[in-house]
């Protein structure tokens, strides 16, 4: 006798169709955590400075944490210890919403590939040393000046210089995320047409700033173009001190006819 698993007169139940799997959500801002935290820190500091502190406290904040070249011509016995930390802390302060918004956009564009490549700790160290390098050149060209320097533009310029060493491939190759590209030597970077064109545009923009033509805003506030150059030179020539060998991705060759900066 054969066993049956269903009643003779009962029709088989139709197969249940599984709904298609939902594609993974792509975040609007796909930023490394270290970079996201940096942007949040800059924003919080500015909100407190601009909207919560009274005028006297804002003046104290800028004087205590902003960078002033004149501090290095005054004997230490006649001033406070601010000269030791202000070459770094000035990069966390901004003077207006326009100032911090403009810097945040550039920080996202060039900070993301650098952070993904060198990691959080090296990024923090890079921020510190590029900030100091920017302040150092500004001091050398404005020795004894009493003007106040604030803003992350010098650090961002350092990130731009660092990106020139890996984010623009020297030759046509399969399209990869920028942070996985091989690091170019200084000579190879200077041979890359893409890098040279980018550097020329960057220098032209800073030349306009130097002669009083702002790229953004009404130009009522002076811009420390020399600090930008100090950061860029540091990032371009010394990036190898912070770099690490990126992992070799297992990807199939793809058509890529142009150098691509991805972030």
């Amino acid at each position: 006798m054969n066993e049956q698993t269903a009643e003779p007169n009962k029709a088989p139940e139709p197969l249940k169709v599984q709904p298609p799997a939902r594609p993974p959500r792509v975040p609007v801002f796909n930023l490394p955590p270290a970079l996201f935290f940096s942007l949040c820190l800059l924003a919080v500091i500015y909100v407190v400075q601009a909207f919560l502190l009274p005028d006297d406290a804002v003046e104290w904040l800028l004087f205590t944490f902003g960078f002033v070249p004149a501090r290095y011509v005054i004997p230490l016995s006649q001033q406070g210890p601010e000269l030791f930390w202000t070459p770094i802390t000035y990069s966390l302060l901004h003077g207006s919403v326009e100032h911090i918004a403009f810097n945040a956009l550039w920080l996202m564009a060039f900070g993301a590939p650098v952070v993904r490549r060198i990691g959080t700790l090296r990024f923090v160290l890079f921020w510190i040393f590029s900030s100091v390098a920017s302040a150092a050149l500004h001091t050398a060209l404005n020795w004894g000046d009493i003007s106040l320097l604030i803003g992350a533009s010098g650090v961002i310029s350092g990130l731009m210089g660092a990106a020139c060493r890996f984010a623009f491939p020297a030759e046509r190759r399969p399209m990869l995320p920028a942070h996985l590209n091989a690091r170019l030597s200084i000579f190879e970077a200077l041979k890359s047409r893409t890098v040279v064109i980018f550097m020329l545009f960057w220098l032209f923009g800073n030349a306009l700033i130097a002669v009083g033509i702002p790229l953004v805003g009404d130009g009522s506030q002076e811009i420390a173009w020399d600090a930008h150059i100090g950061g860029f030179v540091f990032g371009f020539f010394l990036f190898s001190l912070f770099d690490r060998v990126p992992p070799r991705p297992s990807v199939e060759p793809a058509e890529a006819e142009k150098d691509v900066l991805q972030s």
Side-chain angles (χ1 to χ4, degrees), residues 24-252:
R25 296 180 61 184
V26 178
V28 177
F29 296 105
N30 187 20
L31 298 176
L35 183 59
F36 179 75
F37 175 80
S38 300
L39 291 168
C40 291
L41 178 62
L42 296 180
V44 169
I45 291 174
Y46 180 74
V47 168
V48 172
Q49 167 194 330
F51 302 105
L52 300 180
L53 295 181
D55 292 342
D56 291 345
V58 171
E59 291 181 6
W60 173 87
L61 179 72
L62 296 178
F63 176 80
T64 305
F65 297 101
F67 183 81
V68 180
R71 286 192 170 111
Y72 300 90
V73 300
I74 300 174
L76 182 59
S77 60
Q78 300 179 18
Q79 61 171 312
E82 291 86 0
L83 78 167
F84 294 112
W85 61 70
T86 52
I88 301 170
T89 56
Y90 80 92
S91 64
L92 304 177
L93 303 172
H94 291 83
S96 65
V97 173
E98 186 178 70
H99 188 197
I100 190 173
F102 186 72
N103 278 351
L105 291 174
W106 287 111
L107 184 58
M108 286 189 287
F110 289 92
V114 174
V115 175
R116 291 190 179 105
R117 184 179 180 93
I118 68 177
T120 299
L121 178 59
R122 287 182 173 90
F123 172 66
V124 173
L125 294 174
F126 185 90
W127 185 296
I128 292 172
F129 284 103
S130 59
S131 176
V132 172
S134 301
L137 183 60
H138 178 70
T139 301
L141 299 180
N142 300 272
W143 187 250
D145 193 85
I146 61 172
S147 61
L148 182 72
L149 175 65
I150 58 175
S153 298
V155 174
I156 294 168
S157 295
L159 294 169
M160 291 179 175
C164 288
R165 296 290 300 276
F166 70 91
F168 305 100
E171 58 188 26
R172 294 177 181 177
R173 61 184 65 185
M175 183 179 295
L176 299 175
H179 66 283
L180 296 179
N181 291 329
R183 185 179 72 242
L184 305 177
S185 68
I186 295 173
F187 180 71
E188 289 172 333
L190 294 176
K191 285 178 59 179
S192 169
R193 182 179 62 181
T194 307
V195 172
V196 171
I197 292 175
F198 174 80
M199 293 175 67
L200 289 176
F201 273 106
W202 184 88
L203 289 171
F204 178 71
N206 278 274
L208 293 179
I209 294 173
V211 298
I213 303 176
L215 300 180
V216 175
D218 57 4
S220 59
Q221 297 292 329
E222 294 186 8
I223 301 176
W225 57 271
D226 44 10
H228 299 177
I229 293 177
F232 190 92
V233 170
F234 172 85
F236 183 77
F237 286 98
L238 298 180
F239 174 67
S240 58
L241 299 179
F242 302 86
D243 195 19
R244 61 184 181 184
V245 179
R248 292 181 178 273
S250 57
V251 296
E252 297 295 329

